[in-house]
Structures are given as structure tokens and as C-alpha cells.
Amino acid sequence: MRARKSLGKHEQPRAILNSLRCCLLLSLAVLVLSGCGETEPPPEPPPATTRERVVIGIIPEQNIFRQIERYEILTHHLSEVTGIDVETKMLPRYGNLIDNFTFAGLDGAFFGSFTYALAHERLGVSVLARPINLDGRSTYHGMILVRADSGIEGVEQMRGRRFVFVDKATTAGYLLPLDYFITHGVRDYESYFGETYFAGTHEDAIYDVVNRKADMGAAKNTVFDRLVAVDQELRTELKILARSPEVPENALALKRDVDPAVTQRLLAGLLEMHTDPRGHEVLQSFGALRFIETSDEDYRPVLEYAAQVGLDLSTYDYLND
Amino acid sequence: MKRRIIIGLTVYAVIFTLGGLYLLRVINFATERLDRLVQLHQVEILREHYLLKIRRVQSDLTLEGTRHERGFETMVSHAVVMRNLVDTCFTCHHEEEVLDRIRQLRWQTQLYQDALSRVLTMRANEARLAEEQNAAFLVGEELISQVGEMIALTGTKLESATQDSLQEINDTRFALYMLVGIAPLFSVVLGYIFVASLTSPVKVLLGSTRKLKAGDLDHRVPELTHEFGELADAFNEMAASLKEQMHEMQRTEQLAVVGELAAGLGHEIKNPLAGIKVAMDVLGTEAYLSDEDREVVKRVSHEITRLEVLMRSFLDFARPAKPRFESVSINTVINTTLALYSGRHRRAGDLSPPIEVQKELSSLPRTAADSIQLQQVFLNLVINAVEVMPDGGTLTVRSSLEQASGDVIVVTVGDTGKGIAPEHLDSIFQPFFTTKPKGTGLGLPTCRQLVEQHGGTITVTENPGGGTVFSVRLPVRAVIQDGVS
């Protein structure tokens, strides 16, 4: 596996240890200076303030631990500027997003394009905003990747080989290859390939192809570009066989029963984030220039693509197994 | 003494300041060492905690896919805490060698997280899943091995550092105990010396006062220093003065007693003497007496007269008349006196020595005085002056007004005689002291008595040109009803 960039620091345990040390030193100073005495009762905790709270689901677009860090920085800043406690809930799979709206009490999520199409159809969520990436684009496309030295030029060379998808609920990681297979006459890919499996993240799908754990794979270009930025050799080691249409980048969508005032504050927080220096830093760390307002109309290419593949979103089985 | 007190207080202030600073330093030092000790054990606890978390994640991983699996959120939470713990290490260590090891641990932890992420998100056939799970497990075991190795390598160092810190803390505690024990002792000794230096001279002075009170007027305070030395000098001066006054008082009392006796005796003698004199005068007129016997009777009568004069002088001294104050011009009294002297001088005829009289009288205010008594004083001084110049000389009488501390009239009577021997200067005002063959020794004491009744003084000095100068100093006072102001 290739080198990955290091994770950011988490301050909470360190702060606990520092507080413990300060308490020990303070206790010692009190003992030395004034001798032992009766212990003071602990101070009463400050009264809790009533703040709005929303729980946002995060899909495993990349390594789940890096994904947690990436979104925690964003939601923490959003909490500060909006006064709303924005909590995140990392999900192991794209498809879990749909289930967790029902079982885990999510108020919204940063949906992938296809998962939003599914959620909109089944849960009635409304999209608010999506980021413009550092390359100035607010869309992404899927790519079918093979190793450059694999000799694979089309589906003919793929027969009997291993194909790694990302998730059945992704445009780039599943819809694109499905369309590619159908277009090239492969109706039953499970019997056509020697092995197919779901890596769960775009990042793992790409690295599995690079590390020869799979022969072909599908992933989104934005994750690929992010990995290339760290390891330039990836661009020469891999070859792109096909691309999907451009679809909206992962966007924040909330349930319709969320307080409209909260929805508006979150939307304003996202749209205005790039206007203050701290927000700009957060966006840079997140990998975006700014957020733009997004509507259901922006997802028309996804819906058309799904229809082209022949998927009925109301009945589509998005589970990987 | 003031300086000593200031120095003492300053020394105390400096000692307490230095002691306080040292205590602060010791406490700060001990706090730092304890801080260091706490940090060292935190590091130890942190590493153990880190190792525990890795083992817990390994356990989660082992149970993944079984019916005992702990769930996605639990596993992710454990892995996040594990990663945070290794990040915490960067806040404690600063040595490059240790930092390299921790960087290696963080890198290995990241690999472990990557592998875990794959296990958690992947959906594939059992063989592939088992392969991924096994790969993650091996990465975890490697991480455990690295952490264990680091704990083992640094364990000894931690133990050594802990022992060093404890030793330093013990040393600090010993120094603190010594300071707490010695400082009060030193303070007590210093305070005793300081207080003793104050109370010792006071005790000496108190003892001397008690001796003086007991009547030992010859006792003197031994030599003391600083302000106590000045106090001792004053005390000794007071004792000397007291002794002198005591002697003076005793002498006065003796004189008073003698005077009373003599006055009574004189009074008893005066009357018989008068009778004898009358008898002698009558006997001297008897015709049957031969000329030789008549001369004897006449000589006896003369001696009786001399005895009467002597007795009158003695009685005047013993029982001086109370002065009758009236407004007097001193210059007038002087002129009257000199006129009396001139009359007596003319009656003496050619046998009197040639005396030149110089009179220098300044303008003087009138003052309350008994002119008869002052005239007696001045006449006595003039007669004495003339008597010490048997071969002639200059009699100088001067009057002046001093205004230094209140108005004082000064009258001087000077002669150019042989003067008074220095050893007699202190005695000439004592009763019955005389250098004249026929003197009574009561003239000058009577003069002093009369002058003192006027609130004045009389002194004698050598005349720069030879002879003696008597000075009478009389305060200028106004006459008021029944006395003087």
C-alpha cells in the first residue's frame, strides 16, 4: 500500500492529561504552602445551554479515519459560526446512509450523488449545498481504472479477472462500471469476471488496482486526483478506460422536518464560510474553495444516468451483499 | 543606638527576605521536580494506555465478523483514541531520537488504521475478507511489538529518571527541614544579642541609679557606648552636681547653726561688754588714777569698742536686715559711697596713701534696691581696695548695663594692689576668712549676702593691669507693691 498523508492531531486526550497534570501540581502546591485541609466540594457545573443539534452522516468516500478528520474540522467550524451543535456519524458503507436515516436518527448527511438520488427518492431529503473543489469544479466523474501494464484495453481483456467496485450506492464506483459493462455487452458481470468485490472506499478501490489485489476498478476522479497529489506515479501506473458523466460533488442534504431556521443557518454558514479567514483555512483543509447552493435539478444527470443503466431507484437494492 | 536599631532591623529584613526567596526557590524546585516526576509517570501510563488500546483494537478486529463483534462505531472509536494517544506523545518528548521512534509509531498506527478501514468497509468473498483481516491483524501485532520494545527500552530510563527526581526531591526536603530548623534558632540568637545590647546598658544605668539613691554620691556610671554613653555622662554630671550641692547644703546648714549659736552668744556678750565699757569710761575719769593706769584703762576701753564693732558685724552677717526695696539710681549710690570714702580719706590727713580714683559711670535705668545695703556693699569694696594699696594706687569704679539676657547692671570696683593669691580666690567669700591681720573675715561674705538678697551675684577676678576687680551684677527690676517684679 502507498504512503498516506498523516492524520491531524486530536486535542481532547492531550487536554485531559494536561488538566490532570495541572490538578496534581496545584494539589501539591496547596499541600506545600498551606498544609493538608478539608477538601473543597467540587464546583457545580455551569448550566447547560440549550442549543440546536443536528447529526450529519458521513459516507466512506476515503479511508474512514481520514474522512472523520476531514469532516470534523468542517463541522466543528460550522458549529462555531452557526451556534448549532453539528455532530457527525461515520458510516461503514454508502448504503448504510439510507438505513441510518431510519434507525440512527440522522438529520442529514453529506451524500454522494447517487446516494442522494436514492435518499431523495426514498426519504424525501432536500439538498442544500456542495463544495467547489480546489480545481474549481463542483462536480466529479467516475473512472474505470486498470494498471497501465495490465494489457487490458476493454471488456474483452477483463473476462475472468478481478474487478473492484466501491459500493452499490455510488455513481463512480458502481453506476459507471455497470453502464460500461452493459454498453459493452456484459449483462451479468458476476459470471463474466473471475471475482468482484466492494472495497467500500474509492481510495481502497484505486490502491487495490495499484497493489494488484484487483485487475480493474472504478472510483471517482476527485479521490484519484487527491492521491495523485501525494503520489505522482499513480498517474502513470494506472490507465483510465472509461469516464462517467459529470455529477454533483458530495453535498449536504437535510431531512425536510429539520427546523427551517436551522437549515437556513447551516446553509448560510456553508455558503459564507469562504468569506472569513478561519473559514478559508477550514475549506483549504477540507479540500474546497467554497460551498455553493445546490438543488435537485443539479442531480438530473445522475437520474438520467441511472435510467440509462436501467435502475429503478424506488426498488433498487443498494446493499452490497 | 538608633543606628544599631536600624542596622538590626535591616539585618532581620535581609535575612527574612533571603529566607523567603530561598523557600520560594526550594518550593519552585520541588514543584518542578514533582512536575517532571508526574510527567515521567504520565509517559509511562500513556504508553501502557496506548498499548492497551492497540490490544483492544486487535481484540475488536479478531471478533469482527463473529457473533461477538463489537460493532463498527466501537471499533472506530477505539482506533481513533489509539491514534490520539500516539499524537499526545508529541507534546511530551523533545529529544530527536525519541521523536523519531514516535514518528515511526505514528506511521505504523496509520498503517494499522488503513488496514482497519479496509476491513470495516470492504465487502468481498470470505477468503479476501479473511486475508484483509489477517493483514490488519499482522500490522497490529507489529505495532504492539514496536510499542513493547519502546516501553522496554525506555523503562529503565524512566526508572532512573524517577529515582533521580525522587532523590532531588528528598534533598530539597532535607534542605527545607534544615532551613525551617535553623532559621528560628538563628533568629532567636540574633534577637537575644540585639536585645541584650539594649538591656545591658539599661541595667547598668538602673544599678547606678539605685546606688545613688542609697547615698553613694561618689559612684559613677562606667563607660558606655553610643547614646547610652551620653546618658552615662549626663548621669555622672548629675551625680557630681548633686554631691556638690549636698556639700553646699551641709555647709550652709552648719553655718546656719553656728550663726545662730554665735548670734545668741554675741547678743549675750554685747550687753556685758557695754557695761564693762561704761565702767571703764567712768574709771578713766577718776582723778586718783596715775597717768600710766589711765592709759591702760583707755586701752581697755578701746579694745572693748573694737569688740563691739566686731560683734555688730557678726550680728549683721548672722541676721541680715531684710532689704527695703525702692526705686534707686545705682550711679547715685556709687557717688554717695565715693563721697563717704573721700570724707574719710580727708580726715585721715597726710597719713593716708595717695589713691587716684577713676570713675566711669554709664547711663543706667533705675532699679528696685535697698540703697543703704548697696552703699554698704560698695563702701566695703572701696575700703578693701584702698587697704590693699598701702603704698597708693588707682581705684577704679565703673558701672554699665548688660542687655544680653535681660537688663543687668554691672558695677566693678578695681584696685592696683598686690592682688589675691589664686588659692584664696575660692575662699574669700567664706565667713571668717581673711588675709588682713585685723580683719574679721565677715566683710565680703556680708557683701555677697546682701547682693544675693537683691537677686544678684558678686565675683572676683584678677585685674589685667595688676590687682583685683570685684564685679557686682544686679538685675534691673521694677518696684511693685510689697516687693519687686
Side-chain angles (χ1 to χ4, degrees):
Chain A
M1 190 170 289
R2 299 302 175 110
R4 317 276 170 95
K5 68 176 181 180
S6 62
L7 293 175
K9 294 176 182 176
H10 291 268
E11 300 296 332
Q12 191 178 3
R14 192 180 310 155
I16 292 169
L17 287 172
N18 285 339
S19 300
L20 181 64
R21 191 179 67 172
C22 289
C23 288
L24 284 171
L25 292 177
L26 192 61
S27 302
L28 177 72
V30 168
L31 284 174
V32 169
L33 293 174
S34 59
C36 297
E38 294 182 4
T39 51
E40 292 288 330
E44 293 188 3
T49 54
T50 306
R51 282 164 60 108
E52 296 93 341
R53 172 177 172 270
V54 293
V55 182
I56 303 295
I58 307 296
I59 51 176
E61 182 184 13
Q62 57 182 355
N63 178 306
I64 55 176
F65 299 104
R66 276 193 286 283
Q67 190 77 335
I68 288 170
E69 286 179 14
R70 183 173 176 235
Y71 275 92
E72 271 189 353
I73 296 170
L74 181 73
T75 53
H76 180 71
H77 179 73
L78 205 54
S79 294
E80 284 183 350
V81 297
T82 62
I84 300 167
D85 288 334
V86 182
E87 295 177 10
T88 57
K89 185 177 177 66
M90 189 68 220
L91 302 171
R93 280 176 285 280
Y94 279 67
N96 289 85
L97 209 51
I98 309 296
D99 300 332
N100 275 284
F101 263 94
T102 307
F103 301 112
L106 293 180
D107 298 304
F110 276 93
F111 288 93
S113 57
F114 189 44
T115 46
Y116 175 72
L118 287 170
H120 182 68
E121 180 71 24
R122 300 188 184 189
L123 304 171
V125 296
S126 293
V127 67
L128 297 179
R130 69 180 190 276
I132 294 180
N133 295 324
L134 294 176
D135 61 2
R137 301 163 68 98
S138 64
T139 58
Y140 70 91
H141 59 263
M143 303 184 301
I144 294 178
L145 300 164
V146 295
R147 284 191 308 279
D149 60 358
S150 65
I152 299 173
E153 299 293 339
V155 290
E156 293 78 14
Q157 289 81 29
M158 293 181 184
R159 182 187 296 271
R161 300 210 182 191
R162 301 164 299 178
F163 196 102
V164 55
F165 300 99
V166 176
D167 193 287
K168 283 182 75 173
T170 64
T171 305
Y174 190 72
L175 218 52
L176 164 63
L178 202 59
D179 177 57
Y180 180 79
F181 299 152
I182 292 169
T183 304
H184 290 83
V186 179
R187 292 283 171 185
D188 181 9
Y189 66 83
E190 288 184 351
S191 61
Y192 188 76
F193 296 116
E195 180 193 358
T196 59
Y197 66 96
F198 298 92
T201 70
H202 294 272
E203 185 179 326
D204 284 335
I206 294 168
Y207 275 126
D208 277 6
V209 176
V210 173
N211 294 327
R212 301 177 190 276
K213 290 184 177 179
D215 301 304
M216 301 82 65
K220 64 194 293 187
N221 71 310
T222 51
V223 175
F224 178 73
D225 292 342
R226 208 175 292 148
L227 297 178
V228 167
V230 178
D231 186 357
Q232 295 287 333
E233 290 182 6
L234 284 178
R235 197 175 291 282
T236 56
E237 286 183 40
L238 296 175
K239 186 167 68 178
I240 301 167
L241 291 185
R243 286 186 172 85
S244 73
E246 292 289 326
V247 292
E249 182 57 281
N250 293 0
L252 175 64
L254 296 179
K255 287 198 297 187
R256 290 203 179 103
D257 58 0
V258 173
D259 184 351
V262 171
T263 303
Q264 282 306 310
R265 279 156 64 190
L266 287 175
L267 178 60
L270 286 171
L271 296 182
E272 294 167 9
M273 193 178 289
H274 65 283
T275 58
D276 76 271
R278 175 62 190 146
H280 181 72
E281 283 180 21
V282 170
L283 283 170
Q284 286 292 314
S285 174
F286 183 74
L289 295 175
R290 61 191 174 91
F291 275 84
I292 56 171
E293 203 161 359
T294 304
S295 66
D296 290 341
E297 187 61 26
D298 296 321
Y299 288 84
R300 183 174 296 281
V302 183
L303 298 175
E304 289 173 356
Y305 201 40
Q308 181 181 316
V309 176
L311 298 180
D312 179 0
L313 298 184
S314 60
T315 58
Y316 176 64
D317 179 15
Y318 48 78
L319 296 178
N320 294 330
D321 301 319
Chain B
M1 183 49 60
K2 191 189 295 179
R3 187 178 163 205
R4 182 179 290 187
I5 291 171
I6 290 171
I7 289 172
L9 292 176
T10 306
V11 167
Y12 261 89
V14 169
I15 287 172
F16 277 106
T17 303
L18 290 177
L21 289 174
Y22 181 72
L23 274 176
L24 284 176
R25 182 182 169 279
V26 164
I27 290 169
N28 195 36
F29 181 78
T31 307
E32 285 176 0
R33 287 295 171 274
L34 283 173
D35 186 19
R36 171 75 179 147
L37 197 59
V38 169
Q39 282 184 9
L40 288 173
H41 283 279
Q42 275 183 344
V43 168
E44 198 171 6
I45 292 168
L46 190 65
R47 285 177 183 168
E48 295 291 345
H49 192 196
Y50 179 46
L51 187 61
L52 196 66
K53 278 294 172 191
I54 298 170
R55 290 189 188 282
R56 178 170 288 181
V57 174
Q58 281 288 76
S59 172
D60 294 341
L61 180 63
T62 307
L63 295 173
E64 179 69 8
T66 71
R67 58 184 181 138
H68 300 295
E69 68 177 9
R70 288 168 180 153
F72 173 77
E73 284 186 27
T74 303
M75 197 165 172
V76 169
S77 169
H78 289 165
V80 168
V81 171
M82 173 186 71
R83 171 57 186 265
N84 290 342
L85 282 172
V86 75
D87 285 340
T88 306
C89 290
F90 284 94
T91 63
C92 304
H93 297 282
H94 299 287
E95 293 175 18
E96 195 54 39
E97 183 185 356
V98 180
L99 277 176
D100 283 343
R101 282 182 170 276
I102 295 170
R103 286 192 194 104
Q104 178 62 33
L105 282 181
R106 186 164 67 178
W107 168 246
Q108 188 67 27
T109 305
Q110 187 172 312
L111 289 180
Y112 190 36
Q113 280 192 334
D114 290 344
L116 290 172
S117 176
R118 286 179 62 80
V119 171
L120 290 170
T121 58
M122 180 177 281
R123 283 294 173 269
N125 58 48
E126 285 185 9
R128 184 174 288 274
L129 287 176
E131 184 184 344
E132 291 296 337
Q133 198 164 341
N134 191 48
F137 186 80
L138 291 176
V139 174
E141 286 300 302
E142 174 61 22
L143 183 59
I144 288 172
S145 171
Q146 286 184 13
V147 174
E149 186 182 340
M150 191 163 180
I151 288 173
L153 281 172
T154 57
T156 307
K157 190 177 174 183
L158 272 174
E159 180 64 22
S160 173
T162 302
Q163 290 302 323
D164 289 347
S165 292
L166 284 173
Q167 184 59 45
E168 286 172 348
I169 290 167
N170 282 334
D171 292 345
T172 303
R173 187 168 52 189
F174 178 74
L176 198 60
Y177 286 163
M178 289 296 288
L179 184 67
V180 169
I182 288 174
L185 192 64
F186 180 72
S187 180
V188 166
V189 171
L190 198 65
Y192 176 78
I193 292 170
F194 183 63
V195 170
S197 70
L198 288 175
T199 57
S200 176
V202 173
K203 283 182 181 174
V204 171
L205 286 169
L206 195 60
S208 297
T209 306
R210 284 175 178 152
K211 285 184 179 178
L212 200 64
K213 180 185 171 188
D216 185 2
L217 298 179
D218 291 324
H219 176 75
R220 296 292 180 269
V221 179
E223 188 173 347
L224 297 175
T225 55
H226 306 295
E227 283 85 346
F228 287 112
E230 294 177 16
L231 194 57
D233 291 343
F235 184 91
N236 290 338
E237 287 173 8
M238 181 192 72
S241 174
L242 200 59
K243 183 182 177 185
E244 186 180 345
Q245 288 179 16
M246 185 67 77
H247 288 169
E248 183 68 22
M249 194 169 67
Q250 287 173 348
R251 188 173 59 83
T252 304
E253 285 178 355
Q254 288 169 356
L255 284 175
V257 171
V258 171
E260 286 293 322
L261 286 172
L265 189 61
H267 191 72
E268 292 300 322
I269 292 171
K270 193 172 69 174
N271 291 334
L273 271 179
I276 293 169
K277 186 172 183 300
V278 170
M280 284 296 125
D281 288 343
V282 171
L283 183 62
T285 59
E286 292 296 330
Y288 61 85
L289 284 179
S290 63
D291 291 342
E292 187 178 350
D293 291 338
R294 196 178 306 281
E295 185 60 31
V296 170
V297 170
K298 188 180 177 183
R299 199 178 300 162
V300 170
S301 178
H302 177 73
E303 288 301 319
I304 290 172
T305 302
R306 206 170 70 84
L307 278 173
E308 280 182 335
V309 171
L310 178 62
M311 290 308 297
R312 191 164 54 250
S313 299
F314 183 76
L315 287 173
D316 286 345
F317 176 74
R319 292 176 180 173
K322 190 177 178 183
R324 296 175 60 191
F325 289 103
E326 56 185 347
S327 182
V328 171
S329 167
I330 298 298
N331 284 341
T332 304
V333 175
I334 292 171
N335 287 328
T336 305
T337 303
L338 289 176
L340 280 173
Y341 160 73
S342 298
R344 181 182 290 185
H345 187 68
R346 276 195 300 274
R347 283 194 300 274
D350 295 337
L351 294 175
S352 299
I355 300 298
E356 180 188 352
V357 178
Q358 290 184 351
K359 186 171 65 174
E360 299 172 10
L361 303 180
S362 303
S363 177
L364 299 175
R366 298 180 72 84
T367 184
D370 185 328
S371 59
I372 302 301
Q373 288 187 351
L374 288 185
Q375 186 177 312
Q376 181 182 346
V377 171
F378 296 150
L379 185 60
N380 201 332
L381 294 177
V382 168
I383 291 170
N384 280 348
V386 171
E387 284 179 352
V388 298
M389 296 185 291
D391 299 327
T394 303
L395 172 66
T396 306
V397 179
R398 292 191 180 93
S399 69
S400 60
L401 181 67
E402 283 185 1
Q403 294 179 313
S405 54
D407 290 348
V408 175
I409 294 170
V410 182
V411 178
T412 61
V413 178
D415 62 69
T416 55
K418 60 183 180 182
I420 302 172
E423 64 270 22
H424 294 155
L425 283 174
D426 292 336
S427 307
I428 59 171
F429 290 107
Q430 290 180 3
F432 308 115
F433 177 83
T434 181
T435 56
K436 293 185 286 189
K438 292 185 177 179
T440 61
L442 291 172
L444 287 175
T446 301
C447 287
R448 187 171 76 169
Q449 204 171 41
L450 296 177
V451 169
E452 287 177 350
Q453 282 190 149
H454 283 72
T457 60
I458 180 170
T459 55
V460 60
T461 56
E462 288 184 31
N463 194 340
T468 307
V469 176
F470 285 86
S471 301
V472 176
R473 304 168 68 83
L474 297 168
V476 176
R477 299 187 291 187
V479 179
I480 60 172
Q481 192 174 5
D482 299 328
V484 296
S485 63

